[in-house]
Amino acid sequence: DSFNAGNVQLANAHAAGNRFLLVAPISFELLGTPTGRMELLTACRGLSYNYRHFLSFMICDVPPGVAQSRLASMVTILQPFGRGVQSIGFNLNEFQGPITQNEVEQMAQFARRSNLGTFLFGVRDRSVLKFAQDAHIAQLGGPVVAPAMSQPQGMWRLSWADVLARPEMEIWD
């Protein structure tokens, strides 16, 4: 269980006096099934109250067209166990078929109404990058954003000008 492993890292960092914020990616599918939701909530209840303000959630792999009321209830379920849900979005590496501009915009609209951040990971083509820019998606990752790294590194902020300055990114030609 990667969530439990993250909790152990959180506890170790706290015990060592390190500043630490764990953003736990939680799949929509896990939260959408009664068994998965119960397992996750049991793990969350087992987390010490001392660590909860160092924990935030990210709901991943939200299927296109999901009822916004269902997504809102998932956000509410996670609220008591940390700083709440930080963001929602799609990991396009896990996506079946191409994503449409409408799907990206619907997700972004829900996020804005719910005061959540947005992300698209696994962005591989220029048209999706343009969708993301038009929808004001906050966090992006994938080959068209920046090359893959051989070692994990922290996130860094790139402006649209930085992304579009890459030679392969003549997006509006």
Side-chain angles (χ1 to χ4, degrees):
D1 287 306
S2 59
F3 183 75
N4 289 327
N7 288 341
V8 169
Q9 288 180 343
L10 181 60
N12 291 342
H14 188 267
N18 297 329
R19 300 183 110 209
F20 194 93
L21 178 62
L22 176 67
V23 179
I26 306 296
S27 77
F28 178 89
E29 186 177 312
L30 177 74
L31 276 173
T33 62
T35 304
R37 187 171 45 251
M38 190 58 68
E39 284 181 33
L40 176 64
L41 293 177
T42 299
C44 287
R45 285 184 193 105
L47 184 64
S48 167
Y49 285 99
N50 296 329
Y51 305 145
R52 289 185 182 188
H53 62 280
F54 297 108
L55 177 64
S56 180
F57 298 96
M58 174 186 288
I59 300 177
C60 302
D61 308 324
V62 177
V66 68
Q68 293 183 3
S69 59
R70 184 162 187 220
L71 197 51
S73 73
M74 291 178 173
V75 169
T76 302
I77 288 169
L78 295 172
Q79 289 298 111
F81 301 107
R83 291 179 172 227
V85 175
Q86 174 193 23
S87 58
I88 60 168
F90 303 124
N91 179 349
L92 301 179
N93 295 323
E94 305 292 326
F95 220 70
Q96 300 293 329
I99 191 167
T100 67
Q101 184 169 2
N102 186 50
E103 292 165 341
V104 173
E105 288 175 357
Q106 284 182 343
M107 184 258 304
Q109 287 171 6
F110 171 79
R112 279 191 292 277
R113 280 194 305 273
S114 303
N115 200 29
L116 298 172
T118 52
F119 66 88
L120 282 178
F121 298 147
V123 178
R124 297 186 180 286
D125 78 35
R126 300 180 318 179
S127 63
V128 174
L129 189 62
K130 179 70 171 118
F131 297 168
Q133 183 185 34
D134 291 346
H136 304 287
I137 302 300
Q139 298 174 24
L140 298 168
V144 299
V145 177
M149 301 288 158
S150 60
Q151 294 292 322
Q153 297 182 4
M155 296 174 79
W156 67 92
R157 184 177 304 273
L158 295 174
S159 69
W160 280 109
D162 294 332
V163 173
L164 298 176
R166 295 183 59 213
E168 62 274 17
M169 288 311 306
E170 295 177 19
I171 197 166
W172 290 277
D173 42 51

